[in-house]
Structures are given as C-alpha cells and as structure tokens.
Amino acid sequence: MNESLKCLSGRNILACAHQTYTYLLIGDLLCVDKMAQLVDKAKNYVTDKVTNMRKPEASLSKFRLKGVSREGVDYLADVSIDNPYSHSIPICEISYVLKSDGRVIATGTIPDPGSIKGNDKTVLNVPVKVPHSVLVSLVKDIARDWDIDYLLEVGLIIDLPLIGNFTIPLSTQGEVKLPTLTDFFKN
C-alpha cells in the first residue's frame, strides 16, 4: 500500500493529510475532514428544511376602545393567528408596547395566554390599559382631534416543535378615539 501521510506539528497541534482524509489533533480532540464535511452537509440540510417550513402567521386586525375605569382607559387589540399545523401550538407569552407621539404610554405582557388551534384561525384579545395620568401628558395631540395617534407593537412568542420559542413581531398604527363624558357614565 503506497499511501502518503504528510504531518505538521506544533504546540499541542498535529495536522496530517492523507489521500482522502485530513486529520487535525488539537490536544485530545481529533477532527477528521470528511466528518466535518458530513456535519456541515447535515447542518445545511436542517437549516434549509427549517427555513422552508411553514410557520404560523399573525396579524393585528383591530385596536379599539373597550371601556373606562377609575384607573384608566382600556383598549383591546385583536391578534389573528393562522396555524398551518394539524396540532395546537402553545403560546408562551404576548408582549405589547403602545406608543404615541414618540413616547411609550403603555407596556405589558400576558404570560401563557393559551394555545393556537390546529389547522384553524385563532383570534386573541390583547387588553391594553392606559392610565389617565399618561393621557394628560398627551394634551397637544388630544386637543387637536380628541384622539390618540398610536403605534402598537406586539410580540407573539410561540413554542414550535423542533425550533423552540419563535417570536412573531406585529405592529399597527393609526388613530384611536378617546372616551367622551358619556363613556364614563355607561358603566
């Protein structure tokens, strides 16, 4: 057998080249080039499959006034989620940030809000509470047209099989009307 083996050595490192394999010995770790190529091919295959895998899709469909209380003004945001899988998917958390005039006026999280039904559309209501004190700080915007120009950002964190936690970022902007005096006396 006429196989050539070329080796280089240095401080705790030994590299050898054979006709079909490359060996790299670093301390107690032996790396074989063919194995590294196989591992790279496997990683690329999995990455390609995960990238092209269908994932749930979501959208923010409505942001509206829910009610008024002594603590503040309550709004509801509707998050619509389409699940392409035949089994339900757990929702780990929903987080939201409501901004107006470049300032954050409300933030919150909803831990473990339930699951997304399999092969179905699920609509979740995300409650957003804005304290009255924050509304007072937005007097300039409110005085113009009795509404708040807003940007609502929602992060929907779901637990996908094989992938783990996956965040679907959503955002919507628009105007939402403030309650009038009659809204205070409805309840």
Side-chain angles (χ1 to χ4, degrees):
M1 210 181 223
N2 187 8
E3 296 180 357
S4 63
L5 187 63
K6 298 176 186 172
C7 295
L8 298 171
S9 65
R11 190 182 270 188
N12 291 333
I13 298 175
L14 175 65
C16 298
H18 182 265
Q19 288 177 343
T20 52
Y21 299 103
T22 301
Y23 301 92
L24 182 61
L25 182 63
I26 303 173
D28 294 328
L29 180 65
L30 175 66
C31 299
V32 181
D33 189 46
K34 283 283 190 183
M35 183 59 75
Q37 289 176 357
L38 181 64
V39 169
D40 283 343
K41 285 182 182 179
K43 282 196 294 189
N44 290 339
Y45 176 79
V46 170
T47 301
D48 186 49
K49 290 298 179 189
V50 168
T51 302
N52 293 324
M53 187 171 91
R54 293 183 320 171
K55 296 174 190 74
E57 295 179 3
S59 63
L60 281 166
S61 54
K62 290 182 185 176
F63 185 66
R64 64 190 183 285
L65 176 68
K66 177 184 175 190
V68 180
S69 67
R70 290 183 183 154
E71 293 81 34
V73 180
D74 298 317
Y75 293 97
L76 271 181
D78 292 340
V79 177
S80 179
I81 311 158
D82 287 317
N83 181 359
Y85 306 124
S86 59
H87 60 280
S88 64
I89 298 174
I91 304 170
C92 302
E93 181 180 274
I94 298 174
S95 62
Y96 65 86
V97 176
L98 179 63
K99 297 177 183 177
S100 180
D101 200 26
R103 294 182 297 206
V104 174
I105 60 172
T107 63
T109 59
I110 303 168
D112 194 23
S115 296
I116 307 166
K117 298 176 206 161
N119 284 331
D120 203 0
K121 180 182 275 196
T122 302
V123 177
L124 300 171
N125 293 318
V126 178
V128 177
K129 184 178 270 313
V130 179
H132 292 300
S133 60
V134 172
L135 296 177
V136 172
S137 70
L138 298 172
V139 170
K140 286 181 186 174
D141 183 34
I142 293 170
R144 277 182 280 172
D145 48 10
W146 202 247
D147 66 18
I148 297 175
D149 299 321
Y150 71 89
L151 170 64
L152 177 64
E153 298 170 339
V154 175
L156 182 67
I157 303 171
I158 58 176
D159 185 13
L160 289 178
L162 301 174
I163 296 175
N165 287 355
F166 179 77
T167 302
I168 302 174
L170 305 168
S171 68
T172 187
Q173 60 185 12
E175 295 177 346
V176 64
K177 291 292 180 190
L178 288 171
T180 61
L181 285 175
T182 57
D183 293 324
F184 282 99
F185 299 109
K186 282 185 182 177
N187 295 335

